[in-house]
Amino acid sequence: MDTPTFQVKPAIVHPLWLRLCHWLNALAMLIMVTSGWRIYNASPLFNFSFPNELTLGGWLGGALQWHFAGMWLFGINGVIYLLINIFSGRLKRKFWPLSPRELISDFISALRGKLAHNDLNHYNTVQKMAYLFVMIDGIILVCSGFVVWKSVQFPLLRELLGGYESARLIHFFAMSGMVGFIVIHLIMVALVPKTLLAMLRGR
């Protein structure tokens, strides 16, 4: 008589709350970046503008409405993500310790296309730094965005950022950093498709 075999399901890599935060953040960033480009085009900081086909809102007023909607989604979702990470201990468990030697080694491996992704439960040092950068960059985006939006209501924040025009520059470069991360993130997902599956189904 054959002994019944039981198939063990793979362990959960990303819990449901993390997946929800990830996809809500992706939606918020898509709304904010594309509407932000339309807002930028109305008063450019530099001698270029973004193609209207890549922007959201149709006109300045519409872009501002989309941007504010995305702002609340991004802000509330970000606060929930950070609080759960901090109080669950995940932030410390997943992102520490950080080793400069491992960072250099992993970065060289990444440039050579040899960075290992065998264990999705474990972040290599490049991933740790990238995700920590996104968290800090997101905070900078929110703070500088408040100054650009309500400069008079946030005088201390405005002064800390060097004034209104300085806050606009900071907001632009923080946005550029976020877009750069997204591009690299999408390339890495294309190279390692199982990371997308884990973010969709948890395993």
Side-chain angles (χ1 to χ4, degrees), residues 77-167:
N77 185 61
V79 168
I80 293 172
Y81 172 82
L82 285 175
L83 289 177
I84 295 177
N85 266 284
I86 292 169
F87 288 106
S88 68
R90 184 179 182 274
L91 189 68
K92 183 178 180 181
R93 187 171 63 252
K94 285 286 189 179
F95 299 99
W96 268 268
L98 288 172
S99 166
R101 181 178 296 178
E102 288 182 3
L103 175 62
I104 294 171
S105 175
D106 285 349
F107 185 71
I108 293 173
S109 296
L111 291 177
R112 292 176 176 174
K114 297 180 179 180
L115 191 60
H117 291 84
N118 298 325
D119 184 4
L120 295 181
N121 279 300
H122 174 73
Y123 290 154
N124 57 58
T125 312
V126 171
Q127 287 175 303
K128 291 178 183 179
M129 292 298 295
Y131 294 140
L132 287 171
F133 164 78
V134 167
M135 293 180 206
I136 296 170
D137 193 55
I139 293 171
I140 294 172
L141 273 169
V142 170
C143 291
S144 58
F146 277 143
V147 174
V148 174
W149 176 38
K150 296 285 188 180
S151 180
V152 175
Q153 285 82 350
F154 295 97
L156 178 59
L157 194 55
R158 184 184 67 238
E159 293 306 312
L160 288 173
L161 295 181
Y164 176 79
E165 290 300 327
S166 177

Side-chain angles (χ1 to χ4, degrees), residues 178-188:
M178 187 67 74
V179 171
F181 166 82
I182 292 170
V183 170
I184 295 172
H185 187 59
L186 291 175
I187 292 172
M188 296 306 295

Side-chain angles (χ1 to χ4, degrees), residues 58-73:
W59 61 299
L60 178 58
L64 286 168
Q65 290 179 339
W66 275 107
H67 206 68
F68 294 150
M71 173 192 73
W72 289 114
L73 178 60

